[in-house]
Amino acid sequence: MMQVVDTIEQVRAARWADSAATWGLVPTMGYLHEGHLSLVAASTAENDFTAVTIYVNPTQFAPDEDLNTYPRDMARDLALLAAAGVDWVFTPTDALMYPVGFQTEVRISEVTQMLEGASRPTHLHGVATVVTKLLNIVQPTRAYFGQKDAQQTVVVKRLVADLNINTEIVICPIVREADGLALSSRNVYLSAAQRRAAVVLSQSIATIADEIEAGARDGEALRQQLAALIAAEPLAQLDYVSIANPLTLHEWTTIEMEKGVLVSVAVFFGRTRLIDNRLL
Ligand code: PAF
């Protein structure tokens, strides 16, 4: 039966009750959708036990962002996780995660500077700090993250390698609606018209991916074309487009296919900011 716990002592006691058991961790901010559940399914398939954390981490939101209005539905989340065969759910409070006197931050110097980092300068430091804490608390065999937050996956892999954290990082594919919109807890903010318009992210990325697969290699020309495709949607306001090396996140001048290419975008619909990407 699924156990819901909110202290580090409870997590540690469960984790080390059988030190030979493998544990999968799925860190989330709740308001779960099929994307999260695909991470849970990967974890339950590959580990003896699966733990999910539900914690809306304040340090990854800037003061003008949606921390207070971020969608929450703990009862529904717990029902979904129980049905998905999760063993442990950890629901820490802010006081537990950031007690009085807390003053340490995990900063990754290079791969946090561009893309999300350029638009949201404190976001990835908050993500890196909370993910490090959750990995230290649970000490899982494996931890599962979605490709949808492409830069987050690069940051998490970097910090695990750099800080010698003994957890394998598993990245799972983006889960999409039938029309291609990547699932996100923030999709709930979209009006009906914005929701229809939001297909522009996946469609424009698909167009550019097709061109790259057909041989296009000029990074700047592809970025301009991607920006123009998004600008053609009147409800969309572009934040960034990127055609980058997936390891360094440096923008490609001339794509070197053997090193891979990450096509990514961030777009506002009103005050709602959506991201999407494709890794080739
Ligand atoms: O991807 C998310 O939902 C969050 O950034 C994470 C990894 C749970 C850290 O708060």
Side-chain angles (χ1 to χ4, degrees), residues 212-227:
I212 295 170
E213 273 164 357
R217 294 289 178 267
D218 181 342
E220 187 50 32
L222 287 162
R223 280 186 286 279
Q224 283 179 18
Q225 194 188 340
L226 182 51

Side-chain angles (χ1 to χ4, degrees), residues 42-59:
S43 176
T44 57
E46 293 170 4
N47 299 282
D48 298 323
F49 295 99
T50 290
V52 174
T53 60
I54 300 180
Y55 179 58
V56 182
N57 171 39
T59 66

Side-chain angles (χ1 to χ4, degrees), residues 46 84 91 97 120 124 169 175 234 249 251:
E46 293 170 4
T91 58
M97 294 299 277
R120 307 176 69 194
L124 288 162
I169 301 303
V175 178
L249 303 180
E251 295 298 324

Side-chain angles (χ1 to χ4, degrees), residues 26-30 36 53 55-57 60-61 70 123 126-128 130-131 134 144-146 149 152 156 185:
V26 182
T28 82
M29 299 206 300
H36 299 109
T53 60
Y55 179 58
V56 182
N57 171 39
Q60 68 190 77
F61 290 80
Y70 193 82
H123 170 67
V127 169
V130 80
V131 169
L134 293 171
Y144 295 80
F145 295 85
D149 293 294
Q152 173 170 283
V156 170
S185 304

Side-chain angles (χ1 to χ4, degrees), residues 16-272:
W16 298 113
D18 173 2
S19 61
T22 58
W23 275 55
L25 173 67
V26 182
T28 82
M29 299 206 300
Y31 211 71
L32 304 177
H33 51 63
E34 288 298 325
H36 299 109
L37 296 178
S38 74
L39 306 181
V40 169
S43 176
T44 57
E46 293 170 4
N47 299 282
D48 298 323
F49 295 99
T50 290
V52 174
T53 60
I54 300 180
Y55 179 58
V56 182
N57 171 39
T59 66
Q60 68 190 77
F61 290 80
D64 62 340
E65 290 183 345
D66 57 345
L67 172 63
N68 293 327
T69 55
Y70 193 82
R72 292 163 168 88
D73 191 342
M74 186 62 87
R76 180 175 166 278
D77 287 348
L78 294 180
L80 287 169
L81 295 176
V86 167
D87 303 288
W88 296 90
V89 181
F90 178 46
T91 58
T93 59
D94 290 343
L96 187 72
M97 294 299 277
Y98 299 106
V100 174
F102 185 92
Q103 52 191 287
T104 302
E105 192 179 53
V106 178
R107 283 189 179 225
I108 289 88
S109 55
E110 288 178 25
V111 292
T112 54
Q113 296 306 303
M114 57 292 276
L115 309 176
E116 294 301 290
S119 296
R120 307 176 69 194
T122 57
H123 170 67
L124 288 162
H125 304 318
V127 169
T129 303
V130 80
V131 169
T132 303
K133 287 170 66 68
L134 293 171
L135 292 174
N136 281 335
I137 291 167
V138 181
Q139 296 180 267
T141 317
R142 302 182 184 85
Y144 295 80
F145 295 85
Q147 174 60 29
K148 161 113 180 312
D149 293 294
Q151 190 171 16
Q152 173 170 283
T153 71
V154 176
V155 165
V156 170
K157 285 185 191 162
R158 193 70 259 160
L159 76 86
V160 163
D162 289 354
L163 300 178
N164 310 101
I165 295 177
N166 193 18
T167 295
E168 178 192 340
I169 301 303
V170 183
I171 308 302
C172 297
I174 298 176
V175 178
R176 297 179 180 282
E177 301 279 7
D179 67 358
L181 179 67
L183 296 193
S184 164
S185 304
R186 290 189 168 101
N187 291 350
V188 68
Y189 297 146
L190 299 171
S191 70
Q194 289 170 335
R195 169 64 191 83
R196 283 192 296 277
V199 296
V200 72
L201 278 83
S202 60
Q203 286 179 351
S204 53
I205 290 174
T207 302
I208 297 301
D210 287 349
E211 294 208 9
I212 295 170
E213 273 164 357
R217 294 289 178 267
D218 181 342
E220 187 50 32
L222 287 162
R223 280 186 286 279
Q224 283 179 18
Q225 194 188 340
L226 182 51
L229 287 167
I230 289 170
E233 168 48 63
L235 294 182
Q237 199 197 336
L238 183 65
D239 184 0
Y240 66 74
V241 295
S242 168
I243 312 276
N245 176 319
L247 197 62
T248 63
L249 303 180
H250 291 153
E251 295 298 324
W252 280 124
T253 305
T254 304
I255 295 172
E256 296 173 38
M257 268 324 263
E258 67 284 2
K259 294 186 179 156
V261 53
L262 177 69
V263 182
S264 62
V265 300
V267 180
F268 281 97
F269 292 87
R271 296 190 58 200
T272 305

